[in-house]
PDB file of all heavy atoms in Angstrom:
ATOM      1  N   CYS A   1      99.718 104.363 102.583  1.00  0.00           N
ATOM      2  CA  CYS A   1     100.934 105.133 102.863  1.00  0.00           C
ATOM      3  C   CYS A   1     101.813 105.237 101.632  1.00  0.00           C
ATOM      4  O   CYS A   1     101.984 104.270 100.893  1.00  0.00           O
ATOM      5  CB  CYS A   1     101.726 104.479 103.997  1.00  0.00           C
ATOM      6  SG  CYS A   1     100.858 104.505 105.577  1.00  0.00           S
ATOM      7  N   ASP A   2     102.371 106.410 101.427  1.00  0.00           N
ATOM      8  CA  ASP A   2     103.297 106.603 100.313  1.00  0.00           C
ATOM      9  C   ASP A   2     104.677 106.071 100.655  1.00  0.00           C
ATOM     10  O   ASP A   2     105.310 105.405  99.848  1.00  0.00           O
ATOM     11  CB  ASP A   2     103.406 108.083  99.949  1.00  0.00           C
ATOM     12  CG  ASP A   2     102.102 108.638  99.397  1.00  0.00           C
ATOM     13  OD1 ASP A   2     101.410 107.909  98.670  1.00  0.00           O
ATOM     14  OD2 ASP A   2     101.787 109.787  99.713  1.00  0.00           O
ATOM     15  N   ASN A   3     105.152 106.373 101.854  1.00  0.00           N
ATOM     16  CA  ASN A   3     106.477 105.954 102.298  1.00  0.00           C
ATOM     17  C   ASN A   3     106.378 105.380 103.704  1.00  0.00           C
ATOM     18  O   ASN A   3     105.570 105.843 104.512  1.00  0.00           O
ATOM     19  CB  ASN A   3     107.457 107.127 102.301  1.00  0.00           C
ATOM     20  CG  ASN A   3     107.796 107.558 100.900  1.00  0.00           C
ATOM     21  OD1 ASN A   3     108.513 106.854 100.209  1.00  0.00           O
ATOM     22  ND2 ASN A   3     107.284 108.692 100.484  1.00  0.00           N
ATOM     23  N   LEU A   4     107.191 104.378 103.973  1.00  0.00           N
ATOM     24  CA  LEU A   4     107.179 103.705 105.268  1.00  0.00           C
ATOM     25  C   LEU A   4     108.589 103.530 105.793  1.00  0.00           C
ATOM     26  O   LEU A   4     109.550 103.508 105.028  1.00  0.00           O
ATOM     27  CB  LEU A   4     106.562 102.307 105.141  1.00  0.00           C
ATOM     28  CG  LEU A   4     105.133 102.198 104.661  1.00  0.00           C
ATOM     29  CD1 LEU A   4     104.780 100.728 104.450  1.00  0.00           C
ATOM     30  CD2 LEU A   4     104.203 102.815 105.656  1.00  0.00           C
ATOM     31  N   ILE A   5     108.668 103.354 107.102  1.00  0.00           N
ATOM     32  CA  ILE A   5     109.893 102.908 107.752  1.00  0.00           C
ATOM     33  C   ILE A   5     109.511 101.667 108.537  1.00  0.00           C
ATOM     34  O   ILE A   5     108.584 101.702 109.344  1.00  0.00           O
ATOM     35  CB  ILE A   5     110.474 103.982 108.690  1.00  0.00           C
ATOM     36  CG1 ILE A   5     110.895 105.206 107.886  1.00  0.00           C
ATOM     37  CG2 ILE A   5     111.656 103.418 109.476  1.00  0.00           C
ATOM     38  CD1 ILE A   5     111.350 106.376 108.742  1.00  0.00           C
ATOM     39  N   LEU A   6     110.187 100.563 108.285  1.00  0.00           N
ATOM     40  CA  LEU A   6     109.948  99.307 108.988  1.00  0.00           C
ATOM     41  C   LEU A   6     111.043  99.153 110.036  1.00  0.00           C
ATOM     42  O   LEU A   6     112.226  99.042 109.698  1.00  0.00           O
ATOM     43  CB  LEU A   6     109.969  98.132 108.005  1.00  0.00           C
ATOM     44  CG  LEU A   6     109.733  96.738 108.583  1.00  0.00           C
ATOM     45  CD1 LEU A   6     108.387  96.649 109.290  1.00  0.00           C
ATOM     46  CD2 LEU A   6     109.821  95.694 107.473  1.00  0.00           C
ATOM     47  N   LEU A   7     110.631  99.197 111.307  1.00  0.00           N
ATOM     48  CA  LEU A   7     111.570  99.103 112.422  1.00  0.00           C
ATOM     49  C   LEU A   7     111.569  97.708 113.013  1.00  0.00           C
ATOM     50  O   LEU A   7     110.520  97.080 113.139  1.00  0.00           O
ATOM     51  CB  LEU A   7     111.190 100.090 113.526  1.00  0.00           C
ATOM     52  CG  LEU A   7     111.224 101.566 113.181  1.00  0.00           C
ATOM     53  CD1 LEU A   7     110.648 102.384 114.325  1.00  0.00           C
ATOM     54  CD2 LEU A   7     112.635 102.002 112.868  1.00  0.00           C
ATOM     55  N   VAL A   8     112.749  97.240 113.393  1.00  0.00           N
ATOM     56  CA  VAL A   8     112.905  95.977 114.105  1.00  0.00           C
ATOM     57  C   VAL A   8     113.843  96.248 115.270  1.00  0.00           C
ATOM     58  O   VAL A   8     114.983  96.679 115.063  1.00  0.00           O
ATOM     59  CB  VAL A   8     113.486  94.876 113.191  1.00  0.00           C
ATOM     60  CG1 VAL A   8     113.704  93.602 113.976  1.00  0.00           C
ATOM     61  CG2 VAL A   8     112.572  94.629 112.010  1.00  0.00           C
ATOM     62  N   SER A   9     113.344  96.047 116.465  1.00  0.00           N
ATOM     63  CA  SER A   9     114.134  96.295 117.679  1.00  0.00           C
ATOM     64  C   SER A   9     114.761  97.689 117.687  1.00  0.00           C
ATOM     65  O   SER A   9     115.912  97.871 118.057  1.00  0.00           O
ATOM     66  CB  SER A   9     115.222  95.230 117.834  1.00  0.00           C
ATOM     67  OG  SER A   9     114.651  93.950 117.931  1.00  0.00           O
ATOM     68  N   GLY A  10     113.995  98.676 117.209  1.00  0.00           N
ATOM     69  CA  GLY A  10     114.467 100.053 117.221  1.00  0.00           C
ATOM     70  C   GLY A  10     115.408 100.425 116.093  1.00  0.00           C
ATOM     71  O   GLY A  10     115.918 101.539 116.059  1.00  0.00           O
ATOM     72  N   HIS A  11     115.653  99.504 115.168  1.00  0.00           N
ATOM     73  CA  HIS A  11     116.546  99.763 114.040  1.00  0.00           C
ATOM     74  C   HIS A  11     115.768  99.695 112.732  1.00  0.00           C
ATOM     75  O   HIS A  11     114.850  98.894 112.589  1.00  0.00           O
ATOM     76  CB  HIS A  11     117.686  98.743 114.001  1.00  0.00           C
ATOM     77  CG  HIS A  11     118.517  98.771 115.243  1.00  0.00           C
ATOM     78  ND1 HIS A  11     119.497  99.724 115.471  1.00  0.00           N
ATOM     79  CD2 HIS A  11     118.507  97.988 116.343  1.00  0.00           C
ATOM     80  CE1 HIS A  11     120.043  99.516 116.646  1.00  0.00           C
ATOM     81  NE2 HIS A  11     119.456  98.459 117.201  1.00  0.00           N
ATOM     82  N   ILE A  12     116.153 100.518 111.781  1.00  0.00           N
ATOM     83  CA  ILE A  12     115.474 100.549 110.484  1.00  0.00           C
ATOM     84  C   ILE A  12     115.892  99.335 109.664  1.00  0.00           C
ATOM     85  O   ILE A  12     117.074  99.145 109.372  1.00  0.00           O
ATOM     86  CB  ILE A  12     115.807 101.843 109.718  1.00  0.00           C
ATOM     87  CG1 ILE A  12     115.261 103.053 110.481  1.00  0.00           C
ATOM     88  CG2 ILE A  12     115.231 101.791 108.302  1.00  0.00           C
ATOM     89  CD1 ILE A  12     115.661 104.392 109.901  1.00  0.00           C
ATOM     90  N   LEU A  13     114.900  98.521 109.312  1.00  0.00           N
ATOM     91  CA  LEU A  13     115.137  97.377 108.429  1.00  0.00           C
ATOM     92  C   LEU A  13     114.971  97.810 106.976  1.00  0.00           C
ATOM     93  O   LEU A  13     115.728  97.401 106.106  1.00  0.00           O
ATOM     94  CB  LEU A  13     114.173  96.230 108.756  1.00  0.00           C
ATOM     95  CG  LEU A  13     114.247  95.030 107.837  1.00  0.00           C
ATOM     96  CD1 LEU A  13     115.573  94.297 108.021  1.00  0.00           C
ATOM     97  CD2 LEU A  13     113.089  94.088 108.089  1.00  0.00           C
ATOM     98  N   ALA A  14     113.967  98.648 106.719  1.00  0.00           N
ATOM     99  CA  ALA A  14     113.708  99.114 105.357  1.00  0.00           C
ATOM    100  C   ALA A  14     112.964 100.433 105.428  1.00  0.00           C
ATOM    101  O   ALA A  14     112.217 100.688 106.366  1.00  0.00           O
ATOM    102  CB  ALA A  14     112.885  98.091 104.585  1.00  0.00           C
ATOM    103  N   GLN A  15     113.174 101.266 104.420  1.00  0.00           N
ATOM    104  CA  GLN A  15     112.407 102.496 104.309  1.00  0.00           C
ATOM    105  C   GLN A  15     112.270 102.860 102.854  1.00  0.00           C
ATOM    106  O   GLN A  15     113.115 102.508 102.026  1.00  0.00           O
ATOM    107  CB  GLN A  15     113.018 103.635 105.115  1.00  0.00           C
ATOM    108  CG  GLN A  15     114.266 104.256 104.532  1.00  0.00           C
ATOM    109  CD  GLN A  15     114.784 105.372 105.428  1.00  0.00           C
ATOM    110  OE1 GLN A  15     115.205 105.125 106.548  1.00  0.00           O
ATOM    111  NE2 GLN A  15     114.754 106.590 104.926  1.00  0.00           N
ATOM    112  N   GLY A  16     111.158 103.529 102.537  1.00  0.00           N
ATOM    113  CA  GLY A  16     110.898 103.939 101.170  1.00  0.00           C
ATOM    114  C   GLY A  16     109.448 103.713 100.817  1.00  0.00           C
ATOM    115  O   GLY A  16     108.587 103.623 101.697  1.00  0.00           O
ATOM    116  N   PRO A  17     109.156 103.600  99.523  1.00  0.00           N
ATOM    117  CA  PRO A  17     107.781 103.366  99.084  1.00  0.00           C
ATOM    118  C   PRO A  17     107.226 102.084  99.706  1.00  0.00           C
ATOM    119  O   PRO A  17     107.946 101.089  99.878  1.00  0.00           O
ATOM    120  CB  PRO A  17     107.913 103.224  97.568  1.00  0.00           C
ATOM    121  CG  PRO A  17     109.174 103.946  97.227  1.00  0.00           C
ATOM    122  CD  PRO A  17     110.082 103.734  98.403  1.00  0.00           C
ATOM    123  N   ALA A  18     105.949 102.126 100.039  1.00  0.00           N
ATOM    124  CA  ALA A  18     105.308 101.014 100.738  1.00  0.00           C
ATOM    125  C   ALA A  18     105.527  99.675 100.034  1.00  0.00           C
ATOM    126  O   ALA A  18     105.826  98.668 100.680  1.00  0.00           O
ATOM    127  CB  ALA A  18     103.817 101.295 100.902  1.00  0.00           C
ATOM    128  N   ALA A  19     105.414  99.637  98.730  1.00  0.00           N
ATOM    129  CA  ALA A  19     105.554  98.374  97.994  1.00  0.00           C
ATOM    130  C   ALA A  19     106.974  97.810  98.081  1.00  0.00           C
ATOM    131  O   ALA A  19     107.163  96.605  97.949  1.00  0.00           O
ATOM    132  CB  ALA A  19     105.161  98.571  96.531  1.00  0.00           C
ATOM    133  N   ARG A  20     107.973  98.652  98.319  1.00  0.00           N
ATOM    134  CA  ARG A  20     109.345  98.165  98.453  1.00  0.00           C
ATOM    135  C   ARG A  20     109.699  97.814  99.890  1.00  0.00           C
ATOM    136  O   ARG A  20     110.652  97.086 100.129  1.00  0.00           O
ATOM    137  CB  ARG A  20     110.331  99.199  97.910  1.00  0.00           C
ATOM    138  CG  ARG A  20     110.443  99.098  96.395  1.00  0.00           C
ATOM    139  CD  ARG A  20     111.672  99.790  95.900  1.00  0.00           C
ATOM    140  NE  ARG A  20     111.285 101.145  95.512  1.00  0.00           N
ATOM    141  CZ  ARG A  20     112.097 102.175  95.474  1.00  0.00           C
ATOM    142  NH1 ARG A  20     113.356 102.040  95.802  1.00  0.00           N
ATOM    143  NH2 ARG A  20     111.670 103.354  95.108  1.00  0.00           N
ATOM    144  N   VAL A  21     108.948  98.353 100.841  1.00  0.00           N
ATOM    145  CA  VAL A  21     109.210  98.076 102.253  1.00  0.00           C
ATOM    146  C   VAL A  21     108.460  96.833 102.717  1.00  0.00           C
ATOM    147  O   VAL A  21     109.025  95.963 103.374  1.00  0.00           O
ATOM    148  CB  VAL A  21     108.833  99.300 103.123  1.00  0.00           C
ATOM    149  CG1 VAL A  21     108.899  98.963 104.596  1.00  0.00           C
ATOM    150  CG2 VAL A  21     109.749 100.470 102.788  1.00  0.00           C
ATOM    151  N   LEU A  22     107.179  96.745 102.365  1.00  0.00           N
ATOM    152  CA  LEU A  22     106.358  95.618 102.816  1.00  0.00           C
ATOM    153  C   LEU A  22     106.428  94.482 101.802  1.00  0.00           C
ATOM    154  O   LEU A  22     105.480  94.199 101.078  1.00  0.00           O
ATOM    155  CB  LEU A  22     104.910  96.070 103.047  1.00  0.00           C
ATOM    156  CG  LEU A  22     104.741  97.087 104.173  1.00  0.00           C
ATOM    157  CD1 LEU A  22     103.290  97.500 104.293  1.00  0.00           C
ATOM    158  CD2 LEU A  22     105.265  96.535 105.490  1.00  0.00           C
ATOM    159  N   THR A  23     107.566  93.847 101.773  1.00  0.00           N
ATOM    160  CA  THR A  23     107.776  92.695 100.897  1.00  0.00           C
ATOM    161  C   THR A  23     107.725  91.421 101.739  1.00  0.00           C
ATOM    162  O   THR A  23     107.954  91.471 102.947  1.00  0.00           O
ATOM    163  CB  THR A  23     109.142  92.764 100.203  1.00  0.00           C
ATOM    164  OG1 THR A  23     110.165  92.681 101.208  1.00  0.00           O
ATOM    165  CG2 THR A  23     109.297  94.050  99.388  1.00  0.00           C
ATOM    166  N   PRO A  24     107.451  90.293 101.121  1.00  0.00           N
ATOM    167  CA  PRO A  24     107.479  89.034 101.879  1.00  0.00           C
ATOM    168  C   PRO A  24     108.815  88.813 102.593  1.00  0.00           C
ATOM    169  O   PRO A  24     108.843  88.349 103.736  1.00  0.00           O
ATOM    170  CB  PRO A  24     107.220  87.974 100.814  1.00  0.00           C
ATOM    171  CG  PRO A  24     106.386  88.680  99.792  1.00  0.00           C
ATOM    172  CD  PRO A  24     106.967  90.081  99.752  1.00  0.00           C
ATOM    173  N   GLU A  25     109.901  89.185 101.962  1.00  0.00           N
ATOM    174  CA  GLU A  25     111.223  89.000 102.553  1.00  0.00           C
ATOM    175  C   GLU A  25     111.405  89.878 103.789  1.00  0.00           C
ATOM    176  O   GLU A  25     111.909  89.417 104.820  1.00  0.00           O
ATOM    177  CB  GLU A  25     112.321  89.300 101.521  1.00  0.00           C
ATOM    178  CG  GLU A  25     112.322  88.378 100.325  1.00  0.00           C
ATOM    179  CD  GLU A  25     111.274  88.711  99.267  1.00  0.00           C
ATOM    180  OE1 GLU A  25     110.710  89.820  99.262  1.00  0.00           O
ATOM    181  OE2 GLU A  25     111.000  87.813  98.446  1.00  0.00           O
ATOM    182  N   ASN A  26     111.014  91.144 103.695  1.00  0.00           N
ATOM    183  CA  ASN A  26     111.149  92.047 104.838  1.00  0.00           C
ATOM    184  C   ASN A  26     110.228  91.642 105.987  1.00  0.00           C
ATOM    185  O   ASN A  26     110.618  91.714 107.151  1.00  0.00           O
ATOM    186  CB  ASN A  26     110.862  93.495 104.432  1.00  0.00           C
ATOM    187  CG  ASN A  26     111.984  94.113 103.646  1.00  0.00           C
ATOM    188  OD1 ASN A  26     113.106  93.616 103.627  1.00  0.00           O
ATOM    189  ND2 ASN A  26     111.693  95.211 102.970  1.00  0.00           N
ATOM    190  N   LEU A  27     109.015  91.212 105.671  1.00  0.00           N
ATOM    191  CA  LEU A  27     108.082  90.804 106.720  1.00  0.00           C
ATOM    192  C   LEU A  27     108.559  89.523 107.405  1.00  0.00           C
ATOM    193  O   LEU A  27     108.397  89.369 108.614  1.00  0.00           O
ATOM    194  CB  LEU A  27     106.678  90.652 106.155  1.00  0.00           C
ATOM    195  CG  LEU A  27     106.065  91.968 105.648  1.00  0.00           C
ATOM    196  CD1 LEU A  27     104.743  91.709 104.957  1.00  0.00           C
ATOM    197  CD2 LEU A  27     105.911  92.967 106.772  1.00  0.00           C
ATOM    198  N   ALA A  28     109.175  88.633 106.647  1.00  0.00           N
ATOM    199  CA  ALA A  28     109.752  87.426 107.250  1.00  0.00           C
ATOM    200  C   ALA A  28     110.897  87.794 108.189  1.00  0.00           C
ATOM    201  O   ALA A  28     110.998  87.274 109.300  1.00  0.00           O
ATOM    202  CB  ALA A  28     110.229  86.466 106.168  1.00  0.00           C
ATOM    203  N   ALA A  29     111.746  88.717 107.753  1.00  0.00           N
ATOM    204  CA  ALA A  29     112.880  89.134 108.582  1.00  0.00           C
ATOM    205  C   ALA A  29     112.417  89.872 109.834  1.00  0.00           C
ATOM    206  O   ALA A  29     112.972  89.690 110.912  1.00  0.00           O
ATOM    207  CB  ALA A  29     113.824  90.022 107.769  1.00  0.00           C
ATOM    208  N   ALA A  30     111.398  90.694 109.712  1.00  0.00           N
ATOM    209  CA  ALA A  30     110.941  91.516 110.826  1.00  0.00           C
ATOM    210  C   ALA A  30     110.089  90.749 111.827  1.00  0.00           C
ATOM    211  O   ALA A  30     110.243  90.912 113.031  1.00  0.00           O
ATOM    212  CB  ALA A  30     110.149  92.718 110.302  1.00  0.00           C
ATOM    213  N   PHE A  31     109.195  89.902 111.319  1.00  0.00           N
ATOM    214  CA  PHE A  31     108.180  89.299 112.184  1.00  0.00           C
ATOM    215  C   PHE A  31     108.165  87.778 112.169  1.00  0.00           C
ATOM    216  O   PHE A  31     107.385  87.162 112.890  1.00  0.00           O
ATOM    217  CB  PHE A  31     106.784  89.804 111.790  1.00  0.00           C
ATOM    218  CG  PHE A  31     106.674  91.297 111.792  1.00  0.00           C
ATOM    219  CD1 PHE A  31     106.492  91.991 110.610  1.00  0.00           C
ATOM    220  CD2 PHE A  31     106.781  92.021 112.967  1.00  0.00           C
ATOM    221  CE1 PHE A  31     106.388  93.369 110.596  1.00  0.00           C
ATOM    222  CE2 PHE A  31     106.688  93.404 112.974  1.00  0.00           C
ATOM    223  CZ  PHE A  31     106.492  94.088 111.785  1.00  0.00           C
ATOM    224  N   GLY A  32     108.988  87.165 111.318  1.00  0.00           N
ATOM    225  CA  GLY A  32     109.008  85.712 111.243  1.00  0.00           C
ATOM    226  C   GLY A  32     107.727  85.125 110.692  1.00  0.00           C
ATOM    227  O   GLY A  32     107.274  84.075 111.131  1.00  0.00           O
ATOM    228  N   VAL A  33     107.119  85.818 109.727  1.00  0.00           N
ATOM    229  CA  VAL A  33     105.867  85.351 109.127  1.00  0.00           C
ATOM    230  C   VAL A  33     106.039  85.139 107.630  1.00  0.00           C
ATOM    231  O   VAL A  33     106.955  85.679 107.014  1.00  0.00           O
ATOM    232  CB  VAL A  33     104.702  86.341 109.364  1.00  0.00           C
ATOM    233  CG1 VAL A  33     104.414  86.500 110.851  1.00  0.00           C
ATOM    234  CG2 VAL A  33     104.989  87.694 108.735  1.00  0.00           C
ATOM    235  N   THR A  34     105.146  84.346 107.086  1.00  0.00           N
ATOM    236  CA  THR A  34     105.060  84.189 105.643  1.00  0.00           C
ATOM    237  C   THR A  34     103.935  85.092 105.165  1.00  0.00           C
ATOM    238  O   THR A  34     102.823  85.030 105.694  1.00  0.00           O
ATOM    239  CB  THR A  34     104.742  82.728 105.265  1.00  0.00           C
ATOM    240  OG1 THR A  34     105.778  81.897 105.789  1.00  0.00           O
ATOM    241  CG2 THR A  34     104.646  82.550 103.769  1.00  0.00           C
ATOM    242  N   ALA A  35     104.216  85.955 104.213  1.00  0.00           N
ATOM    243  CA  ALA A  35     103.222  86.911 103.717  1.00  0.00           C
ATOM    244  C   ALA A  35     103.075  86.771 102.217  1.00  0.00           C
ATOM    245  O   ALA A  35     104.031  86.438 101.518  1.00  0.00           O
ATOM    246  CB  ALA A  35     103.641  88.335 104.067  1.00  0.00           C
ATOM    247  N   ILE A  36     101.876  87.041 101.757  1.00  0.00           N
ATOM    248  CA  ILE A  36     101.582  87.055 100.324  1.00  0.00           C
ATOM    249  C   ILE A  36     101.056  88.435  99.976  1.00  0.00           C
ATOM    250  O   ILE A  36     100.118  88.927 100.603  1.00  0.00           O
ATOM    251  CB  ILE A  36     100.530  85.991  99.957  1.00  0.00           C
ATOM    252  CG1 ILE A  36     101.070  84.593 100.250  1.00  0.00           C
ATOM    253  CG2 ILE A  36     100.115  86.136  98.493  1.00  0.00           C
ATOM    254  CD1 ILE A  36     100.042  83.499 100.093  1.00  0.00           C
TER     255      ILE A  36
END
C-alpha cells in the first residue's frame, strides 16, 4: 500500500505513507502489541 489510514475505535490514529503509519509506536497504541 502507498497510503494507509489506521483506525482505532472508528477514529483515525494515523494516516499517510505506509512506513509512517505502521510504526511500532502506532501498532502499540492501536493493538497493544510489540512490533518490529
Side-chain angles (χ1 to χ4, degrees):
C1 295
D2 294 323
N3 290 288
L4 299 173
I5 296 174
L6 180 59
L7 297 173
V8 177
S9 300
H11 300 281
I12 296 174
L13 175 68
Q15 74 180 66
R20 278 197 265 155
V21 171
L22 295 178
T23 64
E25 297 79 16
N26 285 344
L27 295 173
F31 305 113
V33 298
T34 301
I36 297 172

